[in-house]
Amino acid sequence: MDTERQAPTRRQLLHAVGLIGGSAAIYNMMTVLGHAEETRFDGPPNLSGARKGATVIVLGAGLAGMLAAHELEKAGYSVRILEYQNRAGGRNWSLYGGDKYTELGGATQNVSFAPGNYLNPGPWRIPHHHRTLLHYCKAFGVALEPFIQFNHNAYVHNADAFGGAPQRFKSLAADFEGNIAELVGKSIDQKGLDTQLSAEDLDLLKEALRGWGMLDENMRYTKGLRSSSHRGYALPPGGGVNGAPQPSDLFPFDEVLKSRVWANMAFFMNDEFQTTMFQPVGGMGMIGKAFAKQVGHMVTFNAKVSKIFQDKKGVAVTYTDTATGATTTAKADYCVCTIPLAVLSQIETNLSDAKQAAIQAVPYSNSVKIGLEMRRRFWEEDYAIYGGHSFTSQEIGLISYPNNNFFQDGPAVLLGAFASGMGGYRLAGMTPQERIEAALEQGSVFHPDSYRKEFVSGASVAWNRVPWTLGCCARWNEETRKEHYQTLVAVEDRIVLAGEHASYVGCWMEGALLSSIDAITRLHKRALEA
Amino acid sequence: MDTERQAPTRRQLLHAVGLIGGSAAIYNMMTVLGHAEETRFDGPPNLSGARKGATVIVLGAGLAGMLAAHELEKAGYSVRILEYQNRAGGRNWSLYGGDKYTELGGATQNVSFAPGNYLNPGPWRIPHHHRTLLHYCKAFGVALEPFIQFNHNAYVHNADAFGGAPQRFKSLAADFEGNIAELVGKSIDQKGLDTQLSAEDLDLLKEALRGWGMLDENMRYTKGLRSSSHRGYALPPGGGVNGAPQPSDLFPFDEVLKSRVWANMAFFMNDEFQTTMFQPVGGMGMIGKAFAKQVGHMVTFNAKVSKIFQDKKGVAVTYTDTATGATTTAKADYCVCTIPLAVLSQIETNLSDAKQAAIQAVPYSNSVKIGLEMRRRFWEEDYAIYGGHSFTSQEIGLISYPNNNFFQDGPAVLLGAFASGMGGYRLAGMTPQERIEAALEQGSVFHPDSYRKEFVSGASVAWNRVPWTLGCCARWNEETRKEHYQTLVAVEDRIVLAGEHASYVGCWMEGALLSSIDAITRLHKRALEA
């Protein structure tokens, strides 16, 4: 990773190289230097020189809190963690058969998935450039397997397109690209193209349009084996006497536009969703469990924090044991608070008005996930869909196919909803049973023959009903960033906040970890100055 | 799979539905009926009614031959297989440490990869729609894992672009799409667009261009966090005080065109390379081994066939035991010949002139694969590349990163070349040692710091030097198809040919299997008529 740590120097160097050798030299130099920045992770923090006996209270045993505790203890601090729940991991969490979950409002679900099956209510996929998380997964022995994010063969459904019938992503994407390529080609021929390209480059552009958009020799996107090799065949190539393939009909371009497939195409090109992605073998919660193995000895569970006060001498945290009802005040020299803002905003503190305003300022997203256990993998067996998502304009947002145990017989859990926005609120307003029914009803659009027939049982988590977060994750916008972000993340005397909400990688575990490293690095520096 | 077996009926039905309800009804109906055809596989062949005691000689213990033998034996035929090599599997083959391989010309390689590492000289990836192969993998207990075909974060190198510096696929693809979207947007504004779209649909197209091409509010593709979210950041989002991301510079569009990234984009949209792809755990050769377990009792190894003659009574196959030199003539009622055409064309037969002309007519592609064992997975650790390919305009064609044991310490084998055409011939003309050197030299363009430094050992297979195939696989073109294909695949008296060369899925294992099923089904029918 060394070549990726030298951003400022590198930039200066590239500037100098550019002055001497022009753009080609810059590109060459970029290659030598290790290309674009991929990560902010520089390795575990260096916290050397900690004062012996200095104490830290960490609030919250999610990933940010556990990483802080782990690294601070390694550095020599005496650390304890207070955790509201009776388990560590926070939003890093998997629900298995036998688990019981009670949401705000009192509804309790008893999960009855078969052994090995799970729902990841929170995070469920790891980008390859989330190097902090990948580093600690390796360090803590978490086995990872590919998460199939992008699947050409899954469906896109939009109620306003194709009379409400879903279509394979590959066919829609191929037709979108083919039509776009044809349009550009026509513009070139009509000299209607406003471009700086030379005549030679225009020829190259035409070649590109033909090759990318599968245009025919007349620069038209037409029905034939060429377009079918991208969008799928009416009859695919086979063997022997009747092996010849037959081309498929193209979709009308206006229907392709109405399907809004371009949004899915852009989604797959998003930095956070580019291949290769990963998931832990056995459920996302394996990460929380692996972290907990490192810091378990420091955690006090069932500790509901009600008050965080600091003065010149230290920090006092008052908490109630939710099992016994006993209230205690714990003291330490410093505090790393990773409590989600939606909860922290309800806890009494003597933080500055500006800090409290920042804590109040950031809204939390809602989101609902529903796991549906099916008797068999009909999406694999009958539809040749292995992992990935089928998207819909309905409230469930998408259904996502499991990436573990491909080809296995027996029951498997697919994600029956990943709803946010209005759809999320609507589903959150339902009882768990009603949510399952909605998921079955809406998801049936993709697999009408099998969806209800193969259904066994379901489980759901509506994040604005999760007692210990009261929402899914922090949703900053440009204005709140400008006004509150630096205030939120600044060390205030003896207290620092950490978590995905204190990062620009919001809603991702990586954000929680990067924030945690940054927070404890600054807190440590403060401690050394004290 | 039932819904996918009714193509003709379905087409008639769709036609009828269209007459009544229009296009929306057709689309709805297509959904109900199970969408586009995905495969020609209808399940294992039904060969009931075989005459007791009827005998079949199968020539070649590759996948086509072994499947034929397995299904014919199941049906009641008495089957034996003659195989030239001392192992079954044919081109389905993995080279492991300890293996020894001698190519035409006499060069012998002793493979010294670490335990568990391998090179797949032939097939190496399985499309999700190759249902025949997937069926038998499951039936015969072959464990499969994802093959990462598409990787946004791998490189594209073209000697004519960017002064010869490789760039990440994601950045090139994002800039290609952004520039194309901008061009179309401008054409719309200048009324230079020749399209049938309504004003409403044109607005939707503009929204699509903005959303797909990451255009700014002025419909321009510009440097900013929006374009960087696809192409990569100069500095990615982080946590804490310095978490804000910084956008990356766009590439000049003419350099993007010169990189020919569109060809890679089209490649990933190709039916045969669309996600999700798979590979056997432990090397592609595990499939050949699993098939061999089913048919091993029927195989005579080291049998070099020199003559295939048939008459009214049966088929006589003359072969030499390459171990002992003894020559034997084996007789049977029928023969399934899966010998690659490049070899079969050199064997004496009394097949018709037309059949022999067909056998001679099909050229075989060359192709060279080189495996390079590296001391550590620097592509994962230093470059965040997990699986997928980096493409180059150099002779090696590409390098491909292993998809097994992600994140593992210790040596791993990457594919250092997958060369064809002129590059393939050039590499095939070299000694194995020279090939390694060429692969190291050319592959270093992607990973200059590590490639030579971490190299341990290599192995190569040049398919036109493979004694038992004399080429990689059959390359039909439109003319040879028209003139020779039906002749080649037709049952001629008691003999039928099978293999990837007797299919429209050439160069794929699926083609070999589909061809085999079709061939034995027709041979069985002929036998019943006899």
Side-chain angles (χ1 to χ4, degrees):
Chain A
M1 308 291 300
D2 279 336
T3 52
E4 295 186 346
R5 286 189 209 159
Q6 315 167 15
T9 318
R10 195 175 67 173
R11 238 172 279 133
Q12 292 158 7
L13 195 55
L14 283 173
H15 182 67
V17 167
L19 290 178
I20 303 163
S23 64
I26 288 188
Y27 290 122
N28 275 320
M29 200 64 199
M30 280 173 67
T31 310
V32 172
L33 289 171
H35 324 274
E37 287 287 322
E38 280 284 315
T39 174
R40 294 295 192 87
F41 181 60
D42 268 340
N46 177 3
L47 307 177
S48 59
R51 177 168 58 82
K52 213 178 150 77
T55 54
V56 183
I57 287 187
V58 173
L59 303 181
L63 294 199
M66 290 195 284
L67 182 64
H70 173 71
E71 291 293 348
L72 287 168
E73 188 184 56
K74 254 174 54 187
Y77 290 93
S78 174
V79 186
R80 64 177 296 196
I81 308 177
L82 300 180
E83 167 56 43
Y84 171 74
Q85 296 192 77
N86 60 0
R87 66 159 183 89
R91 281 164 281 183
N92 180 292
W93 178 32
S94 299
L95 280 169
Y96 302 92
D99 285 350
K100 187 173 166 168
Y101 165 62
T102 302
E103 63 183 33
L104 275 187
T108 293
Q109 298 174 67
N110 292 293
V111 184
S112 61
F113 297 152
N117 286 344
Y118 57 82
L119 165 67
N120 292 326
W124 51 315
R125 48 192 168 184
I126 305 173
H128 59 271
H129 49 82
H130 282 185
R131 310 301 294 175
T132 322
L133 182 57
L134 292 173
H135 169 86
Y136 285 101
C137 280
K138 179 151 190 176
F140 297 165
V142 180
L144 300 177
E145 63 193 359
F147 178 99
I148 307 300
Q149 167 71 2
F150 181 33
N151 190 334
H152 294 85
N153 206 37
Y155 289 99
V156 175
H157 166 257
N158 192 303
D160 296 333
F162 298 100
Q167 304 296 347
R168 302 268 186 182
F169 171 81
K170 63 182 175 191
S171 307
L172 293 168
D175 287 2
F176 181 80
E177 294 180 345
N179 277 284
I180 294 288
E182 183 178 302
L183 285 176
V184 180
K186 285 180 181 171
S187 293
I188 295 176
D189 287 347
Q190 296 159 12
K191 318 270 184 220
L193 207 63
D194 172 18
T195 154
Q196 312 280 321
L197 295 176
S198 68
E200 198 184 332
D201 289 337
L202 268 181
D203 283 343
L204 195 55
L205 175 58
K206 281 173 93 163
E207 189 184 344
L209 295 168
R210 210 178 299 124
W212 166 70
M214 303 309 277
L215 304 185
D216 65 18
E217 61 276 16
N218 302 314
M219 296 289 284
R220 293 291 177 271
Y221 184 64
T222 49
K223 176 178 178 177
L225 293 181
R226 188 164 161 75
S227 54
S228 290
S229 74
H230 279 199
R231 69 186 315 289
Y233 299 88
L235 202 61
V241 172
N242 296 308
Q246 289 181 19
S248 59
D249 289 326
L250 308 183
F251 293 141
F253 187 35
D254 59 334
E255 292 294 320
V256 173
L257 288 174
K258 289 187 182 89
S259 79
R260 308 182 80 85
V261 66
W262 77 79
N264 307 107
M265 297 167 76
F267 176 76
F268 293 130
M269 273 295 284
N270 188 294
D271 182 58
E272 287 167 336
F273 300 114
Q274 289 176 5
T275 51
T276 308
M277 304 194 81
F278 292 95
Q279 65 179 11
V281 176
M284 190 51 80
M286 302 307 275
I287 295 181
K289 285 178 184 167
F291 273 68
K293 258 194 197 165
Q294 305 292 322
V295 302
H297 58 284
M298 302 181 233
V299 187
T300 302
F301 289 107
N302 305 313
K304 184 179 181 178
V305 172
S306 56
K307 196 171 164 182
I308 307 167
F309 268 57
Q310 63 178 339
D311 58 24
K312 296 274 175 234
K313 292 186 197 153
V315 184
V317 177
T318 305
Y319 66 95
T320 303
D321 185 323
T322 56
T324 67
T327 293
T328 318
T329 295
K331 294 187 175 184
D333 297 325
Y334 303 100
C335 173
V336 178
C337 175
T338 72
I339 298 173
L341 299 182
V343 175
L344 183 59
S345 63
Q346 301 182 11
I347 291 173
E348 192 187 355
T349 73
N350 66 347
L351 291 165
S352 68
D353 289 351
K355 180 78 92 180
Q356 293 199 40
I359 292 169
Q360 303 287 347
V362 188
Y364 267 50
S365 65
N366 68 328
S367 146
V368 176
K369 277 200 185 156
I370 302 176
L372 302 174
E373 186 167 70
M374 298 288 181
R375 223 162 259 117
R376 68 179 184 93
R377 296 175 178 248
F378 53 82
W379 52 93
E380 298 183 1
E381 295 167 7
D382 304 348
Y383 293 81
I385 296 176
Y386 299 87
H389 326 294
S390 284
F391 297 94
T392 172
S393 58
Q394 300 170 99
E395 289 171 345
I396 55 171
L398 55 75
I399 74 173
S400 183
Y401 309 94
N403 298 293
N404 58 332
N405 302 325
F406 290 122
F407 304 102
Q408 202 167 74
D409 292 324
V413 171
L414 56 70
L415 186 67
F418 184 23
S420 53
M422 279 311 298
Y425 286 118
R426 281 248 316 143
L427 287 165
M430 299 178 182
T431 66
Q433 198 44 52
E434 288 167 346
R435 281 175 213 148
I436 304 289
E437 173 53 32
L440 288 174
E441 178 65 27
Q442 295 176 31
S444 289
V445 76
F446 298 114
H447 307 289
D449 297 340
S450 336
Y451 219 65
R452 282 186 184 277
K453 195 173 84 186
E454 304 291 358
F455 172 70
V456 185
S457 76
S460 66
V461 171
W463 279 96
N464 52 346
R465 287 181 176 274
V466 171
W468 37 273
T469 58
L470 307 175
C472 187
C473 49
R475 286 293 183 193
W476 293 90
N477 60 34
E478 224 169 290
E479 277 174 43
T480 51
R481 284 272 188 215
K482 201 180 275 180
E483 194 172 342
H484 296 294
Y485 181 77
Q486 288 300 335
T487 308
L488 187 89
V489 301
V491 176
E492 191 167 298
D493 298 329
R494 298 170 169 276
I495 299 175
V496 68
L497 308 194
E500 54 83 20
H501 50 274
S503 84
Y504 277 77
V505 200
C507 300
W508 288 95
M509 295 179 285
E510 182 76 0
L513 297 180
L514 282 172
S515 154
S516 182
I517 289 176
D518 182 69
I520 61 177
T521 303
R522 286 180 289 120
L523 190 68
H524 173 66
K525 197 163 163 246
R526 174 71 54 96
L528 292 187
E529 293 162 0
Chain B
M1 307 293 299
D2 278 337
T3 52
E4 296 185 346
R5 284 188 213 160
Q6 316 169 11
T9 317
R10 197 175 66 173
R11 239 172 277 134
Q12 293 158 5
L13 195 55
L14 283 174
H15 182 68
V17 168
L19 289 178
I20 303 163
S23 63
I26 287 188
Y27 290 122
N28 275 320
M29 201 62 198
M30 280 173 70
T31 310
V32 172
L33 289 171
H35 326 275
E37 285 288 319
E38 282 285 314
T39 176
R40 294 294 193 88
F41 180 61
D42 268 341
N46 177 3
L47 307 178
S48 58
R51 177 168 59 82
K52 215 178 148 76
T55 55
V56 184
I57 288 188
V58 174
L59 303 181
L63 295 198
M66 290 196 284
L67 182 64
H70 172 72
E71 292 293 348
L72 287 167
E73 189 184 56
K74 256 174 52 187
Y77 288 94
S78 175
V79 185
R80 64 177 297 196
I81 309 178
L82 300 180
E83 166 56 42
Y84 171 74
Q85 295 192 77
N86 61 1
R87 66 160 183 87
R91 282 164 281 183
N92 179 292
W93 179 31
S94 300
L95 280 169
Y96 302 91
D99 284 351
K100 189 174 168 166
Y101 165 61
T102 301
E103 62 183 32
L104 276 188
T108 294
Q109 298 175 67
N110 292 293
V111 185
S112 61
F113 297 152
N117 286 344
Y118 57 81
L119 165 67
N120 293 326
W124 51 314
R125 48 193 169 184
I126 305 172
H128 58 272
H129 49 83
H130 282 187
R131 311 300 294 176
T132 321
L133 183 57
L134 292 174
H135 169 86
Y136 285 100
C137 280
K138 178 152 190 175
F140 296 165
V142 180
L144 301 177
E145 62 194 359
F147 178 99
I148 307 299
Q149 167 71 1
F150 180 33
N151 189 334
H152 294 85
N153 205 39
Y155 289 99
V156 174
H157 167 256
N158 192 302
D160 296 333
F162 298 101
Q167 304 295 348
R168 301 269 185 181
F169 170 82
K170 63 182 175 191
S171 308
L172 293 168
D175 286 3
F176 181 81
E177 293 179 346
N179 277 285
I180 293 289
E182 184 179 303
L183 286 176
V184 180
K186 284 180 181 172
S187 293
I188 296 176
D189 287 346
Q190 295 159 12
K191 319 270 184 223
L193 207 65
D194 172 20
T195 154
Q196 311 282 322
L197 295 176
S198 68
E200 197 184 332
D201 289 337
L202 269 182
D203 284 343
L204 195 55
L205 175 58
K206 283 173 91 163
E207 188 185 343
L209 295 168
R210 210 179 298 125
W212 167 68
M214 302 309 276
L215 304 185
D216 64 18
E217 62 277 14
N218 302 315
M219 296 288 284
R220 292 293 176 271
Y221 183 63
T222 50
K223 176 179 178 177
L225 293 180
R226 190 165 159 74
S227 54
S228 291
S229 75
H230 280 199
R231 70 186 314 289
Y233 299 89
L235 203 60
V241 172
N242 296 309
Q246 289 182 19
S248 60
D249 289 326
L250 307 183
F251 293 141
F253 186 36
D254 58 335
E255 291 294 320
V256 173
L257 287 174
K258 289 187 181 86
S259 79
R260 308 181 80 86
V261 65
W262 77 79
N264 306 106
M265 297 167 77
F267 176 75
F268 293 130
M269 273 296 285
N270 188 294
D271 183 58
E272 285 167 337
F273 300 114
Q274 290 176 5
T275 53
T276 308
M277 303 195 82
F278 291 95
Q279 65 179 12
V281 177
M284 190 51 81
M286 303 307 275
I287 294 180
K289 286 178 183 167
F291 273 68
K293 259 195 197 164
Q294 306 292 324
V295 302
H297 59 282
M298 301 181 235
V299 186
T300 302
F301 289 107
N302 304 313
K304 184 179 181 179
V305 173
S306 56
K307 196 171 163 183
I308 308 167
F309 268 58
Q310 63 179 339
D311 58 23
K312 298 271 177 234
K313 292 187 196 153
V315 184
V317 178
T318 306
Y319 66 96
T320 304
D321 185 323
T322 57
T324 67
T327 293
T328 319
T329 295
K331 295 188 175 183
D333 298 323
Y334 301 100
C335 173
V336 178
C337 175
T338 72
I339 298 174
L341 299 182
V343 175
L344 182 58
S345 63
Q346 302 182 10
I347 292 173
E348 191 188 354
T349 74
N350 66 346
L351 291 164
S352 68
D353 290 350
K355 178 79 92 180
Q356 293 198 40
I359 291 168
Q360 304 286 347
V362 188
Y364 267 51
S365 65
N366 69 330
S367 143
V368 176
K369 276 200 185 158
I370 303 176
L372 302 174
E373 185 168 70
M374 299 289 181
R375 224 161 259 120
R376 67 179 184 93
R377 297 176 178 247
F378 54 81
W379 52 93
E380 297 183 1
E381 295 167 7
D382 305 348
Y383 293 81
I385 296 175
Y386 299 87
H389 327 293
S390 285
F391 298 93
T392 172
S393 59
Q394 300 169 98
E395 289 172 345
I396 55 173
L398 56 75
I399 73 173
S400 183
Y401 309 95
N403 298 294
N404 58 332
N405 302 326
F406 290 122
F407 303 102
Q408 202 168 73
D409 292 324
V413 171
L414 55 71
L415 186 67
F418 184 21
S420 53
M422 279 311 298
Y425 286 117
R426 281 248 316 141
L427 287 165
M430 298 178 183
T431 66
Q433 197 45 54
E434 288 167 346
R435 281 174 212 148
I436 304 289
E437 173 54 30
L440 288 174
E441 178 64 27
Q442 294 176 31
S444 288
V445 75
F446 297 115
H447 308 287
D449 298 340
S450 338
Y451 218 65
R452 282 187 184 275
K453 196 172 83 187
E454 305 290 358
F455 172 70
V456 185
S457 76
S460 67
V461 172
W463 279 95
N464 52 346
R465 286 181 177 273
V466 171
W468 37 274
T469 58
L470 306 176
C472 188
C473 50
R475 286 293 182 194
W476 292 90
N477 60 35
E478 223 168 292
E479 277 172 43
T480 50
R481 285 273 188 214
K482 201 180 275 180
E483 194 171 344
H484 296 293
Y485 181 78
Q486 288 299 338
T487 307
L488 187 89
V489 302
V491 176
E492 191 167 296
D493 297 329
R494 298 172 170 275
I495 298 176
V496 69
L497 308 193
E500 56 83 18
H501 50 275
S503 83
Y504 276 78
V505 200
C507 299
W508 288 95
M509 296 179 283
E510 181 76 1
L513 298 179
L514 281 172
S515 153
S516 182
I517 289 177
D518 181 68
I520 60 177
T521 304
R522 284 181 290 121
L523 190 69
H524 173 68
K525 198 163 162 247
R526 174 73 53 98
L528 292 187
E529 292 161 2

